[in-house]
Amino acid sequence: MNDVIAALATPAGRSALAIVRMSGQGSIKLVESLMKLNSGRLCGIRRSVGSLYRGQQEVDSIVAISWPEGKSYTGEEMVELICHGVPAIAREILSLLMEQGVREARPGEFTRRAFLSGTLDGVDVIALSNLWEGGGAGIAGAFREMANRILDVIERAREELEGRIEFGESHGVGMSMAEVEQLISSIRDDLTVLRSKAGILDGRSRLFIMGPTNTGKSTLFNLLAGGEYAVVSDRSGTTRDGRSVEVEIEGRSILLHDTAGVGGRDLDGEAGRIVEVSLTDADRIVWLTDENGKGPGAELTSSVGDLLAVQPMSDLHERTGFRISSLTGEGVQELRSWLVSSPGEISLTGLALAVSRDIDESSEHLEAAEEAIAASLLTGAAERLRSILREEELEICVERALSKLCVGK
Amino acid sequence: MIRDVAIAGAGHAGIEAALAASRKGCSVVLITTSLRRIGEMSCNPAIGGVAKGTLVREIDVLGGAMAESADATALQYRMLNRRKGPAVWGPRVQSDLMLYAKRQRYLLSTAGIDLIEDEVVALSGQTEHPDGFVCRKRGEVRARAMVIATGTFLAGRLFRGEERWKGGRIGDIAADSLESDLRKRMFHVKRFKTGTPPRIVRNTVDLDNLDVQEEDPVRFRFSFREGEVSARREKCFTVRTCSRTRNAAVKYMAKSPLFSGSIGGLGPRYCPSFEDKVVKFPDRTDHLINVEPTGFRSRLLYLNGLSTSLPREAQEEMVRSLPGFSGALIALYGYAVEYSSLENSEIDVSLRLRRTENVFAAGQILGTSGYEEAAALGLLAGANAAKRAAGEEPLVAPGRADSYLGVMVDDLVNVKQEEPYRLFSSRAENRLQIRQDNAITRLMPFAIRLGTARRDDIRRWKRRERESGDITGTLGTIRLEGKKAIEICRRPETDVDRMIEAVPILRKYDRDTISSVILDEKYRGYIERSRRKLRARDRLKSVPLSAIDSYMDISEICWEAREALERERPASLGEAARLAGVRSADIEGLIIYLSRGRSARRILRST
């Protein structure tokens, strides 16, 4: 059984009205008693204009709106209290509720409960979270529709291939190989659209390029960013302040930050501290190691979720591990793939990208008359699409989306 | 006198069961309603095909007879899908029906197996541990373990248009008494239907104008033993139907007992009867029919692709509408047979009837269709019956990652079948590794444990394993074009001849072995992927359900499933999947339900 939670759902600050949102079994009875209403007054979807009391003392005159279980945003009993938009009053109301055993909601908790109760599905949550980040509304539906359309074509193509394998020599019914190939090519454009919609749904990813001085961070930054944004030079410590630019890689929106080298001279130290402060915003880090292979500190590794240690300048030094060279281009493609996907492909973009790759590989194998492999790849692509559309695998994307929401959502 | 193993039914399943039990040193008695029809091919005079052909190779490795008998009585060899990747190659032979049956009978008699012509009417004694079979004429035949391999005979009913009569097969009786005994003992059965095409008198057909289907220039043999290979050859032909054929079928469609309109699960191209084809492809009139002689210089021709139960008039119109067949005489009209088969809940993965200790089942009684499927199951059932008779535990079938036998048994036991089960290559997730060229590598260890492998074969296998190792080593060290030869194997254009040319030292090894090594390397990435997926699925099967107090409020699953789960309280997802009333959608619903609960999510993560 869930606790009753409450939180301010409107921005802190002065305004005409503020809303305190509550969710959980027992919230309705609680508000009834605090408003000194008759029991049952807030039963069903009701509104009551009255006052909140602490004992005999009136705290504020409010409008309470109730939803019964099953009919609310979270699926549980909910009450929303519309009060005067004065910060002190809102705080007072919240303390009153805490005194009654209500807990302050965690960031995104209302939406989490909505997801768990089934009111929202995974795609809805991601879309909602993204709405707050400035993305467009209605993306979720369009994404789902496109995914379903692509899935239908893949299934048809797969069925045809399997039919050719099992019955090709006896029945001679169905599509020719050329027609199957054409069917598969027909979804390429749709897949590109799917990837970009997935990128929008995933939202922006904040990527930091870090490492000791002169490991080639700025060069890599330029390579990934596709322009001359950071000043690159052979002299150690050229980049003084972090430069950032938003780039799009394979449909995924990435905010790249080039950072000053960690350690080194005074000036760099200053800049380095600035970087550390803004580090809490990082989603992922690419850490370029120096010739000694010096890696990131343990603190950094544990505080940021996702870190990729990379050995740059493989053209200059003999390297092991994940090597890249901005000069020869070694490893750059792999790095770009890592950027758009995530460990275990937990982003929609990553999943959509994997589907695209499966389809392309499938076509290649069709040309080589390896129909069994082509069919298996199509099966894999179909399974991925189904997992995008089904809830339990989307969960991880949902977790990330929920974590981006703040208190009251 | 008590024998070790008694077998009911001498079809393809019964024969392999008898030979397997005998090879393991048991005294065996085989009971059949007609001695002269032992080993008869009721339908298609051919053995093998895509996936089925690979299964025949697996039977061969397990010491079975089908592969050798197929070689000895072959009239034409074809490797299906030869122009596609080797993963889906299907060896197939056209057979001489009579010679094949004769050879099987000969094998049975030289193995010292007792043959009894009689009808099995019941199990004898307690269901948990019967003492044998009860036969109509001679009463009780006692044995320590039994195999039921009665094919389509259980309460068999034959149909053609509006004709209906009893029989397991045309000219054979229906095993009504045994079926009713099984029902009395509370075995769950379901009714299945299957059909067969008409047989035509060969010299009433103008074959000169038909397209000939040539034999493959690629020579192969089914058995990897140096046995007898038939020198007799027969041509096969192909002919296409026309609008008249289609119209005849449509005209009489209402009188077709075979077509139920509900065969959809395996995709539109799986058409068990001509009626299916006409309905699924209403715009097509030119369906391909393979015209196959039933034996060397045989009197009859078999029309593969024209399986039907339409009335005689319809069949006459349909047959005569084929080019060259205007004066054709039908010797045997096509018909359908409806029969009882056991529900999947009745058997376990060693093919034992769960509610008994010593009775096994194999073949169409388990809901399969096809000689190859029956023979493979018969072999496993017979060997396990022999083990049981010797007081040993029966052996569980190999996994579905390694063999078609494994795929088939896993499907039969764990998935409720809505229609007769036929092996397709797509049923095997790991079909890139389960190929017709490497059955010996995949199955010999199991064959040795089962105790049915032949001594010479074991020696051959060891030699091949050694060679395989040497070849892999060679390819791993030799460099071509700057890369290791083994990496070159992964390229699509690499084939065995090119590799031998490039690496002449390979010439001292067997060409087939080299080919298998190259293929394993070529498909390695995909093979690993499928194996990983199968392992993940296995882990999911073992997810415990102990955290669930009550199923009755789980909205993600349907009512029937809730009741079944509440009643049976399965310990794991895998067990839940096997319950009657629990569909795969319900299993998915359970997974969603489990993944919503916090603590259960941890359980799922840790698997």
Side-chain angles (χ1 to χ4, degrees):
Chain A
M1 195 48 55
N2 276 327
D3 309 339
V4 177
I5 52 175
L8 189 63
T10 41
R14 308 183 78 90
S15 61
L17 297 172
I19 301 180
V20 172
R21 209 184 210 184
M22 293 172 67
S23 175
Q25 194 181 60
S27 46
I28 289 181
K29 267 204 159 40
L30 180 62
V31 172
E32 279 174 353
S33 89
L34 288 177
M35 286 180 78
K36 296 198 196 297
L37 297 171
N38 289 327
S39 175
R41 172 69 181 80
L42 283 177
C43 206
I45 301 179
R46 294 296 199 87
R47 175 201 62 183
S48 169
V49 181
S51 299
L52 266 184
Y53 293 94
R54 181 189 265 109
Q56 295 306 316
Q57 183 81 10
E58 191 200 23
V59 174
D60 191 23
S61 65
I62 61 167
V63 178
I65 303 180
S66 67
W67 288 267
E69 191 179 314
K71 295 231 176 4
S72 71
Y73 176 63
T74 59
E76 308 172 319
E77 269 178 40
M78 276 187 80
V79 189
E80 284 183 1
L81 309 171
I82 306 178
C83 59
H84 286 96
V86 176
I89 291 184
R91 269 200 303 276
E92 182 77 21
I93 291 179
L94 279 171
S95 320
L96 178 63
L97 294 174
M98 305 301 143
E99 283 160 27
Q100 303 297 320
V102 176
R103 176 171 61 75
E104 173 139 35
R106 290 189 272 269
E109 196 168 0
F110 290 96
T111 306
R112 179 185 294 276
R113 290 191 179 188
F115 171 65
L116 289 175
S117 73
T119 321
L120 297 179
D121 72 19
V123 181
D124 289 325
V125 173
I126 293 176
L128 202 68
S129 148
N130 191 248
L131 195 65
W132 288 110
E133 286 211 339
I139 287 287
F143 178 84
R144 233 190 255 112
E145 219 183 275
M146 173 118 316
N148 273 314
R149 210 171 36 238
I150 295 175
L151 186 60
D152 280 336
V153 173
I154 292 179
E155 283 295 350
R156 264 186 66 210
R158 194 183 62 83
E159 235 169 44
E160 284 295 327
L161 275 182
E162 295 293 359
R164 286 181 60 86
I165 290 172
E166 304 295 341
F167 305 113
E169 311 247 355
S170 56
H171 284 200
V173 196
M175 288 188 191
S176 69
M177 188 54 96
E179 284 168 316
V180 178
E181 283 177 15
Q182 212 189 26
L183 193 60
I184 294 178
S185 330
S186 75
I187 46 173
R188 285 234 176 73
D189 289 336
D190 283 347
L191 279 167
T192 315
V193 173
L194 189 77
R195 284 205 314 269
S196 75
K197 286 199 201 295
I200 295 171
L201 276 176
D202 274 334
R204 276 182 318 185
S205 174
R206 257 179 261 271
L207 176 86
F208 277 65
I209 303 180
M210 300 187 67
T213 27
N214 261 25
T215 40
K217 294 188 297 303
S218 299
T219 314
L220 182 63
F221 177 87
N222 285 341
L223 195 69
L224 292 172
E228 291 292 315
Y229 297 105
V231 177
V232 173
S233 119
D234 289 332
R235 229 180 70 227
S236 165
T238 315
T239 320
R240 295 298 167 81
D241 45 287
R243 292 268 188 174
S244 65
V245 67
E246 186 172 335
V247 294
E248 192 181 291
I249 299 181
E250 311 224 27
R252 190 76 197 278
S253 184
I254 315 256
L255 205 58
L256 281 176
H257 289 271
D258 183 21
T259 61
V262 172
R265 295 180 327 227
D266 278 309
L267 219 52
D268 294 317
E270 176 74 48
R273 231 173 293 129
I274 296 173
V275 167
E276 275 174 40
V277 166
S278 48
L279 257 185
T280 44
D281 277 353
D283 284 323
R284 321 173 77 185
I285 292 184
V286 176
W287 180 278
L288 282 80
T289 59
D290 60 17
E291 306 102 68
N292 307 315
K294 174 175 165 218
E299 261 174 52
L300 201 60
T301 320
S302 59
S303 62
V304 175
D306 210 351
L307 189 146
L308 182 70
V310 166
Q311 311 253 349
M313 299 195 269
S314 64
D315 49 296
L316 290 180
H317 310 287
E318 201 20 67
R319 301 289 197 164
T320 53
F322 185 26
R323 302 195 306 270
I324 56 166
S325 164
S326 309
L327 210 64
T328 65
E330 178 184 4
V332 174
Q333 184 52 39
E334 276 90 343
L335 183 61
R336 283 170 70 103
S337 299
W338 179 81
L339 291 181
V340 297
S341 70
S342 306
E345 292 161 323
I346 58 175
S347 68
L348 288 178
T349 318
L351 284 168
L353 199 68
V355 172
S356 285
R357 274 197 231 113
D358 281 345
I359 302 291
D360 285 336
E361 229 186 301
S362 176
S363 287
E364 278 169 28
H365 283 282
L366 274 183
E367 284 159 38
E370 284 280 11
E371 285 161 55
I373 301 181
S376 305
L377 286 164
L378 289 180
T379 308
E383 273 168 14
R384 278 194 228 272
L385 275 176
R386 267 193 221 103
S387 80
I388 289 178
L389 295 165
R390 253 194 347 230
E391 285 174 25
E392 77 278 9
E393 304 237 7
L394 207 49
E395 199 186 286
I396 304 173
C397 304
V398 168
E399 282 299 330
R400 272 180 58 239
L402 287 174
S403 66
K404 291 192 195 160
L405 298 174
C406 60
V407 174
K409 295 204 180 73
Chain B
M1 106 137 133
I2 306 182
R3 296 209 186 63
D4 291 320
V5 177
I7 299 171
H12 303 280
I15 291 174
E16 293 289 353
L19 291 172
S22 163
R23 214 153 49 243
K24 282 179 71 68
C26 288
S27 55
V28 182
V29 60
L30 185 57
I31 308 165
T32 173
T33 54
S34 166
L35 281 177
R36 66 180 179 79
R37 296 185 77 170
I38 290 180
E40 187 173 299
M41 290 191 199
S42 329
C43 216
N44 200 354
I47 298 218
V50 182
K52 284 167 179 267
T54 308
L55 188 63
V56 176
R57 294 229 196 260
E58 291 179 9
I59 293 170
D60 191 42
V61 172
L62 293 170
M66 180 168 263
E68 280 179 312
S69 295
D71 280 332
T73 58
L75 300 172
Q76 197 188 74
Y77 280 88
R78 278 179 66 218
M79 182 66 86
L80 302 184
N81 286 337
R82 192 163 45 85
R83 276 180 270 270
K84 303 192 176 106
V88 292
W89 284 4
R92 184 184 188 274
V93 291
Q94 212 56 48
S95 309
D96 185 310
L97 285 185
M98 298 215 294
L99 288 177
Y100 184 87
K102 207 160 137 196
R103 191 176 194 276
Q104 299 287 69
R105 281 201 294 276
Y106 170 73
L107 289 176
L108 288 175
S109 58
T110 49
I113 292 167
D114 278 335
L115 296 173
I116 294 181
E117 186 169 272
D118 203 337
E119 181 198 342
V120 172
V121 296
L123 292 172
S124 163
Q126 301 273 28
T127 306
E128 295 75 46
H129 197 114
D131 340 277
F133 290 123
V134 178
C135 297
R136 191 176 290 285
K137 287 188 285 203
R138 63 177 63 202
E140 211 190 3
V141 173
R142 301 182 67 194
R144 298 195 173 84
M146 279 94 77
V147 179
I148 306 182
T150 48
T152 57
F153 281 43
L154 283 187
R157 295 291 176 269
L158 304 174
F159 301 84
R160 184 193 296 130
E162 288 168 333
E163 301 172 64
R164 272 168 192 36
W165 68 107
K166 285 192 196 177
R169 191 169 49 187
I170 203 153
D172 270 319
I173 63 143
D176 285 352
S177 312
L178 179 60
E179 203 255 6
S180 116
D181 182 62
L182 290 174
R183 279 193 200 256
K184 265 190 241 147
R185 292 172 188 268
M186 309 293 275
F187 284 101
H188 293 110
V189 297
K190 60 195 171 197
R191 300 291 283 172
F192 268 174
K193 267 194 279 210
T194 189
T196 195
R199 285 19 165 217
I200 315 294
V201 178
R202 199 204 290 234
N203 60 20
T204 61
V205 179
D206 179 18
L207 293 172
D208 293 331
N209 288 319
L210 298 185
D211 292 324
V212 179
Q213 192 157 65
E214 292 292 357
E215 182 175 54
D216 262 354
V218 175
R219 292 306 247 121
F220 67 87
R221 45 171 38 188
F222 256 122
S223 175
F224 63 90
R225 277 169 230 124
E226 315 290 306
E228 182 196 342
V229 175
S230 141
R232 291 170 290 267
R233 285 295 174 267
E234 273 285 349
K235 282 204 200 116
C236 293
F237 307 87
T238 58
V239 74
R240 286 198 181 265
T241 61
C242 59
S243 50
R244 272 195 303 141
T245 334
R246 195 261 315 262
N247 295 342
V250 167
K251 191 160 91 189
Y252 291 94
M253 188 64 75
K255 297 194 183 161
S256 165
L258 185 63
F259 178 70
S260 62
S262 64
I263 303 179
L266 294 164
R269 290 188 66 178
Y270 178 46
C271 298
S273 71
F274 188 68
E275 289 88 293
D276 283 292
K277 284 188 200 160
V278 163
V279 171
K280 279 182 187 151
F281 301 99
D283 299 326
R284 280 195 83 114
T285 53
D286 58 339
H287 298 280
L288 192 71
I289 306 286
N290 290 298
V291 182
E292 300 166 4
T294 59
F296 185 59
R297 301 197 183 137
S298 63
R299 185 177 151 255
L300 298 181
L301 294 172
Y302 177 94
L303 295 183
N304 193 353
L306 208 60
S307 180
T308 179
S309 61
L310 289 167
R312 289 174 193 247
E313 315 83 83
Q315 294 192 33
E316 276 157 18
E317 268 186 56
M318 278 156 52
V319 168
R320 300 234 173 89
S321 74
L322 300 173
F325 282 74
S326 50
L329 195 65
I330 298 178
L332 197 66
Y333 286 86
Y335 64 92
V337 57
E338 192 190 66
Y339 56 99
S340 290
S341 67
L342 293 169
E343 284 284 7
N344 70 315
S345 50
E346 296 291 355
I347 50 162
D348 72 12
V349 282
S350 69
L351 300 184
R352 180 178 58 96
L353 292 185
R354 274 179 201 274
R355 293 168 42 227
T356 73
E357 281 174 9
N358 59 343
V359 183
F360 298 80
Q364 285 181 289
I365 191 187
L366 291 181
T368 59
S369 93
Y371 320 134
E372 304 85 353
E373 287 90 334
L377 292 174
L379 202 160
L380 183 62
N384 275 336
K387 280 175 99 67
R388 182 35 101 215
E392 290 163 22
E393 276 303 303
L395 212 57
V396 159
R400 70 182 298 131
D402 299 307
S403 61
Y404 276 116
L405 175 61
V407 169
M408 179 170 55
V409 175
D410 189 43
D411 284 343
L412 285 176
V413 173
N414 293 312
V415 180
K416 193 169 156 137
Q417 303 296 329
E418 304 294 332
E419 61 222 11
Y421 182 90
R422 203 205 109 141
L423 254 191
F424 294 109
S425 70
S426 56
R427 292 196 192 271
E429 295 80 1
N430 199 18
R431 83 178 134 185
L432 293 175
Q433 187 170 31
I434 304 177
R435 304 186 309 262
Q436 61 89 34
D437 59 89
N438 62 3
I440 190 173
T441 312
R442 294 184 282 107
L443 275 169
M444 187 53 90
F446 179 77
I448 294 173
R449 275 169 45 226
L450 194 62
T452 55
R454 308 202 197 171
R455 207 166 305 143
D456 286 339
D457 294 349
I458 299 179
R459 254 179 261 139
R460 211 164 297 164
W461 167 68
K462 290 196 179 143
R463 211 182 316 135
R464 188 180 149 128
E465 292 297 288
R466 267 198 313 272
E467 270 201 16
S468 249
D470 289 344
I471 295 169
T472 311
T474 306
L475 291 175
T477 40
I478 298 226
R479 294 192 90 92
L480 296 171
E481 302 169 23
K483 294 200 159 155
K484 291 200 200 138
I486 202 140
E487 284 173 36
I488 309 269
C489 287
R490 295 189 199 127
R491 294 203 197 138
E493 64 274 11
T494 305
D495 67 25
V496 59
D497 294 309
R498 268 192 230 189
M499 189 52 80
I500 296 179
E501 224 187 281
V503 186
I505 197 176
L506 290 173
R507 255 189 260 273
K508 65 178 171 195
Y509 298 116
D510 172 59
R511 189 176 173 281
D512 287 337
T513 313
I514 302 173
S515 179
S516 293
V517 170
I518 293 177
L519 287 174
D520 278 335
E521 194 52 41
K522 200 194 269 214
Y523 298 138
R524 172 187 294 275
Y526 303 100
I527 292 175
E528 272 167 16
R529 213 193 284 191
S530 356
R531 292 195 87 103
R532 229 181 301 136
K533 260 196 228 168
L534 282 172
R535 274 197 302 270
R537 209 196 293 180
D538 271 338
R539 280 201 296 270
L540 202 64
K541 277 210 203 119
S542 62
V543 168
L545 293 175
S546 45
I548 299 183
D549 291 321
S550 165
Y551 291 93
M552 300 313 276
D553 293 314
I554 301 182
S555 55
E556 285 84 351
I557 57 182
C558 73
W559 263 113
E560 202 193 343
R562 282 186 231 183
E563 284 176 350
L565 289 162
E566 191 75 15
R567 193 175 49 237
E568 305 288 338
R569 304 241 114 228
S572 70
L573 263 184
E575 271 186 44
R578 284 203 288 276
L579 294 176
V582 177
R583 314 155 302 161
S584 55
D586 297 313
I587 295 296
E588 287 192 16
L590 267 181
I591 293 175
I592 293 178
Y593 171 77
L594 286 171
S595 63
R596 289 230 179 111
R598 288 270 164 91
S599 56
R601 209 180 289 158
R602 250 182 275 126
I603 296 172
L604 271 181
R605 287 265 190 279
S606 65
T607 52

